[in-house]
Amino acid sequence: MIGFSLTEAQEALRVKAREFADREIRPRAREYDEKGIFPRDVMERAFAEGIMNESVPTQYGGPGMGNLDAAIMTEELGAACMGIGTSIMANSLALAPLILYGNDAQKEKYLRWHMREFRIAAFCLTEREAGSDAGGLRTRAERDGDYYVINGDKCFSTNGSYADIYTVFAVTAPNKGPLGVSAFIVERAMGVVPGKTEDKMGQRASNQAELHFRDVRVPAENLLGREGHGFKIAMGTLDRTRAGTAAGAVGIARRALEEATAYAAQRVQFGQPLIRNQAIQFKLADMAMKIEAARLLTWQAAWMADNDLRQGKESAMAKCFAGDVAMEVTTEAVQIFGGNGYSREYPVEKLMRDAKLMQIYEGTQEIQRLVIARELGKGR
């Protein structure tokens, strides 16, 4: 039977996440955005309250949340500030390969290590010459006895400047294309050197950095899965985490609709509030419909992941549609605000800047459409 009601536990989680976002994130969002402040203090509070590392199983000291639980929570963080929300949720992305593909010893060591005290993790896939082409990596990992020696450079690594551990994808068999990529758990202390930090248009409270690997020696026991499984691990991870990205986009769009509706109700033009103007009413109605549709796609993808159903197509649909909705809704919100919408005195310009990145990271919209089309074409 199909149902759309949240359980009591999920509703309590939604309330908890919204209260945390209202108390800890919204008051800091503008300053952290303007100054590009990394929200370590907020992340530490999120960790203390169980709003971080949400997918770590309870047997390793984590909250043990499902994908739908995480999506509900992420929407609330995204509505407050997606830059800060991205910083919090990036830990989950980095730990997901370990949760999904790590062996018992790796999980016991690193998941429990992560839950004993506040630590930061980063996912390291993208390179300057291999963005959407994840099979075109140049970072190399060569076996040397009981170690792998990693050399190369990564970019756009969220939390990269501050991370304690990294999930790193590197080539172990150069002539095999995607089948030559492997995945590793790399500690910062092994020699990872953070480089340039990106000065971004939006989500400025999140940290995206270059990372340099120069003869970084990683124990062979830190290999995730087997050699050549890295591409599969990366794609499997992103299939699982894209619902969370979509949820963040829904949060941005929802906040923009709330702000635009409130503004239209109090802004008087031609002797009446803007919200009585049919043109504005239609804009708000279209915004609301698209947000609801994006949320349902997101919840479907998350539910399918929780039930171990194949959901690469559905997660791509959710991420692509929700990202586009966030961009469209925030643009319309700026339009409803008029000249005020273009001013940093009002929140919608920040929401619009934050929304743009939702169409880019964790796979561009073009890549999502390729995934969807290829799934549709299978068997034909």
Side-chain angles (χ1 to χ4, degrees):
M1 179 180 292
I2 294 174
F4 296 98
S5 298
L6 301 181
T7 66
E8 288 186 10
Q10 288 168 337
E11 180 61 27
L13 175 63
R14 185 190 67 80
V15 171
K16 176 182 178 179
R18 182 170 293 191
E19 289 177 348
F20 177 86
D22 288 344
R23 182 180 70 251
E24 302 292 348
I25 297 179
R26 284 205 190 200
R28 297 170 172 83
R30 183 174 177 179
E31 178 188 4
Y32 284 28
D33 174 74
E34 290 179 351
K35 298 179 181 178
I37 298 173
F38 183 69
R40 187 183 186 95
D41 56 337
V42 181
M43 295 171 70
E44 289 177 343
R45 295 186 188 98
F47 173 78
E49 296 192 27
I51 303 179
M52 190 171 177
N53 306 332
E54 75 286 343
S55 298
V56 174
T58 54
Q59 68 192 88
Y60 302 109
M65 294 184 198
N67 291 275
L68 182 53
D69 298 332
I72 292 165
M73 184 174 68
T74 303
E75 178 180 331
E76 301 304 326
L77 304 184
C81 174
M82 197 60 220
I84 296 176
T86 291
S87 301
I88 293 171
M89 303 312 297
N91 253 39
S92 300
L93 171 62
L95 295 178
L98 178 57
I99 295 169
L100 294 172
Y101 300 98
N103 59 41
D104 291 341
Q106 291 168 340
K107 291 178 182 179
E108 182 65 34
K109 179 178 180 179
Y110 285 107
L111 293 181
R112 196 171 295 284
W113 181 72
H114 244 278
M115 295 309 304
R116 277 199 298 266
E117 61 183 85
F118 172 74
R119 289 186 172 93
I120 297 172
F123 185 82
C124 306
L125 176 63
T126 304
E127 299 178 7
R128 291 292 176 189
E129 302 302 321
S132 296
D133 180 14
L137 302 180
R138 295 185 179 180
T139 298
R140 292 286 304 274
E142 297 181 336
R143 187 71 183 254
D144 181 19
D146 293 333
Y147 290 85
Y148 285 90
V149 181
I150 300 179
N151 282 282
D153 304 283
K154 298 292 183 178
C155 65
F156 300 129
S157 179
T158 300
N159 292 348
S161 297
Y162 303 91
D164 300 290
I165 67 168
Y166 304 85
T167 305
V168 179
F169 297 85
V171 176
T172 48
N175 299 321
K176 292 187 177 181
L179 296 179
V181 176
S182 301
F184 302 87
I185 306 163
V186 182
E187 297 177 26
R188 184 190 188 97
M190 293 173 181
V192 182
V193 178
K196 185 185 78 170
T197 297
E198 299 296 334
D199 186 10
K200 308 184 303 297
M201 176 175 74
Q203 299 197 26
R204 292 175 51 76
S206 66
N207 167 262
Q208 280 77 35
E210 290 183 345
L211 296 170
H212 305 301
F213 299 81
R214 300 291 182 267
D215 293 328
V216 174
R217 295 180 66 81
V218 180
E221 65 190 26
N222 283 27
L223 172 71
L224 283 172
R226 299 199 301 270
E227 281 196 15
H229 280 199
F231 187 78
K232 175 184 175 182
I233 290 171
M235 296 303 102
T237 297
L238 292 172
D239 280 350
R240 288 271 181 157
T241 59
R242 281 186 180 126
T245 304
V250 172
I252 293 172
R254 191 195 83 202
R255 171 76 181 282
L257 175 60
E258 292 169 353
E259 296 287 349
T261 302
Y263 183 83
Q266 61 88 24
R267 174 68 167 167
V268 174
Q269 290 281 274
F270 303 104
Q272 64 179 2
L274 278 177
I275 203 166
R276 294 185 184 175
N277 184 308
Q278 191 178 68
I280 300 301
Q281 291 174 348
F282 284 2
K283 283 184 184 293
L284 294 172
D286 285 343
M287 293 157 72
M289 286 189 290
K290 290 171 182 175
I291 292 168
E292 290 295 328
R295 182 182 292 113
L296 290 176
L297 275 175
T298 298
W299 284 7
Q300 173 185 261
W303 177 86
M304 291 178 73
D306 285 337
N307 286 275
D308 294 322
L309 299 173
R310 182 181 174 86
Q311 38 74 49
K313 172 168 64 73
E314 287 76 13
S315 67
M317 285 179 171
K319 192 272 179 187
C320 188
F321 187 77
D324 286 350
V325 165
M327 194 69 247
E328 183 177 346
V329 168
T330 55
T331 301
E332 289 286 44
V334 170
Q335 190 69 22
I336 290 170
F337 272 73
N340 287 335
Y342 206 64
S343 168
R344 291 200 171 182
E345 183 180 350
Y346 294 85
V348 289
E349 66 84 27
K350 175 186 180 298
L351 292 168
M352 184 177 176
R353 288 187 287 107
D354 287 353
K356 186 59 197 173
L357 191 52
M358 309 309 291
Q359 295 180 303
I360 298 172
Y361 67 7
E362 286 206 35
T364 64
Q365 306 301 73
E366 292 76 17
I367 291 296
Q368 305 311 315
R369 287 178 167 87
L370 281 175
V371 170
I372 296 164
R374 287 172 181 170
E375 288 291 325
L376 293 174
K378 284 184 177 179
R380 292 182 181 273

